[in-house]
Amino acid sequence: MARTLGRRSSWAIAGLVSLTGAGGAVAGTYYQPLIYGAPPIVYTYGAAGENARMPMSLTDTAPTAVEGEVSKDGVIAQHLLRVDQARVLTSLVQGRFREIPAGTALARVEVAGSANLVVWCDLRANTKWNSRGAFECLTDTKGAGAFDQGWAGVSDYYFAAAGFNVVSSPRTLTSKGTWREAKPEEHPTLLLGYKWCDGDGAAKPARFARALQASGDKRWFVPGACASGATAPLGGGSFDLPPLKVATSAGAAPGALHYKVEGRLPPAPLLQPVLSGLADLSAPPAPKIDRAVAPPAAELSLKPLVPAGAPPVVVAGDIAKGQPFFTVGVRHGVTGVLKQEVRGKGWFFDKALPVGQPVYGVPMAGASATGLVWCAPRQDDKPKGKSPTRWAAACLPQNATQANWVEAQTAMMSVNLSWFYGSRTTNALDVERGPIDLPPMTLSYVFAGWSEQGSLMLEVRLDWGEGPQLLRALRVAPGADGVVTVKTMDGVIAVKRSGDAAQAQALKPLLAQADVVY
C-alpha cells in the first residue's frame, strides 16, 4: 500500500452484485447498478477491482532515442506501441465530460466478466484536472453499425499500464454514433521507453524505468515504482534494460549522460498491460480469478451488516418519491475494540482513538490490496463540519506497518473510501474482536423517482436514530414487462410504475435471517 503523497487511493466494499443478481465491476459514477451481497462472479486482471485491458502490440517501427545525451526525466529507447483493433466514429457523440468528434479513433478494450463485454474507448489526451483518468467508452449493443451505449472508463494511464483499469456504469446515449473499422494507420498509438526517473548521475546513480507516453500527451508515465528499474554505473559503464544493453559515459552538458542503446524490444503482441520496472513484457497474465468459484479470503467473506431487530418489510400501496419501499433492522456483523491507542498525524492534523474504542469491520478491495477495514464511530455533542449527524467515524485501511486515517462516508457504514496515501497516517491497529454497544439501525430501499429511460432510481439508506443517511444511489433497469425486480434476503421484490409514484410487491418471500443486500 505504500505510495507517494498525491496519489489517490480508492477502496470499495468487497462483493458487489447487481440488483438482479448478476456480477459487476468495482468503481463507477454516482449512480451505479451495483450493491453489496454474497460474493458474485467478479474477474480481475491482477489488481483488486481491475476489470479492463486494451490489446496492443509492439510494432516493427525502428526505436528512437537510441544514442545521444540524456538528462534527468529524459527518456531513451522509445518504441512505438499500436492498439490492435480500433473503430473510427463517423458522427459526433456527446460524452460525459466532452464531445467525441467524427473522425476519432476508438480503441478496443476488453472488460472481464461472464458477459465478455467489449467497449471502444476514446484515448485522446485528457489532462484536465477535473476529468484526468476518465475516459468515455462506447458499445454497439445491436451490432447495427452505431454506438448506442456509453460506459465510464477509469484508468491510471490510457488502459496501457498495469495498475487500475476499470469500465463500469453503462448509460444510453442521447444520440447514436455511427462508425467504421479503422485502417491500420488510424489505430491509436503510444510510446514505450525508459525514463531517467531517479538519481542525479553524480552522487547517486541514474535510474531508468519503463515509461509510457500516449499520443497527444506530453507526460511520461512510469508504471509502478521507479525503484524497480535499473541504474547506470557512476562515472560511466554498461547496464542492462533486458533485452537492451546500454553503454553510458559522461555527457558534455552538466548533469547529462551520453548513451548508446544496443538491441530493441521485439515486435510482438503484449499479453497484458505494460508492467513496472523490468518485468517481462512477453509474460502471460496470471489466471483470471472467479470469486464465485475460488473461495474468498476469510476476511472478505464476512458480512458487514446482518439482520437484527425489526424483520424485513415490503411497503404496500403507492410509494411517493423519497419514501422507502423496503426496510429491515440490521447490526454490524464484525465488531471489536482497540487494544492500544491509535494516533493519526498529518498536515495540521493530530487526533487519537483511545484504548477500548469500539470499531466495526468492512471487507474492502482497492487497486493494490484487499482486506478488512476497521472504522471507529464517535459521537459528538453536535454535528461538526459538513456532517449532518452527531455521529461520525474514522476508517483505517492498513498494511503491515501503518494505517491511513480516512473520514467515513457515513458514521455507521462506508461502501467506499478515498484518500491520498501518506496524508494522514497512524500506527498499526490491534483489535480485540467481540460485541460492542452501538445504536440499533434500520436499512431501507428508498424510491428516488423514475429516469427518462424508465429505470428505477433507488437509494440505499441507513438510519441509526439521526434519520436515513445515504449509502448508495442506484439506477436499476426494468425488465421487458416494465417491472423492476430487486433481489435481497433470498427473496424478490417487484417494483412497478404508478404515475410518478411506485408500487412494490414481494414476488418471493424474504427470509428474516438471509443476507441483506446493499
Side-chain angles (χ1 to χ4, degrees), residues 473-484:
L474 314 167
R475 179 188 289 122
V476 191
D481 57 359
V483 177
V484 174

Side-chain angles (χ1 to χ4, degrees), residues 19-176:
L19 282 166
T20 55
V26 178
T29 55
Y30 181 68
Y31 280 104
Q32 54 183 10
L34 307 173
I35 55 179
Y36 181 83
I41 298 175
V42 176
Y43 298 90
T44 123
Y45 284 112
E50 186 174 52
N51 77 337
R53 67 178 293 268
M54 180 175 69
M56 54 189 177
S57 299
L58 278 159
T59 70
D60 58 5
T61 302
T64 59
V66 294
E67 185 174 8
E69 288 207 352
V70 63
S71 300
K72 179 70 182 300
D73 295 326
V75 181
I76 65 174
Q78 298 177 19
H79 293 69
L80 186 68
L81 283 170
R82 179 172 282 115
V83 172
D84 286 350
Q85 290 182 263
R87 290 177 174 177
V88 176
L89 273 178
T90 54
S91 62
L92 179 145
V93 169
Q94 180 60 54
R96 281 174 166 82
F97 58 90
R98 64 178 178 181
E99 290 183 344
I100 311 175
T104 301
L106 307 177
R108 176 189 171 102
V109 172
E110 299 171 352
V111 183
S114 56
N116 295 317
L117 175 68
V118 172
V119 297
W120 303 82
C121 298
D122 176 13
L123 298 187
R124 289 177 300 147
N126 176 20
T127 57
K128 293 182 178 180
W129 70 270
N130 60 345
S131 59
R132 181 177 295 177
F135 299 90
E136 186 76 25
C137 301
L138 309 176
T139 49
D140 179 354
T141 62
K142 298 179 176 60
F147 294 117
D148 56 357
Q149 192 175 64
W151 292 74
V154 180
S155 174
D156 278 347
Y157 203 78
Y158 295 86
F159 296 102
F164 192 65
N165 302 293
V166 165
V167 171
S168 66
S169 303
R171 67 184 181 91
T172 301
L173 296 178
T174 54
S175 59
K176 296 180 180 180

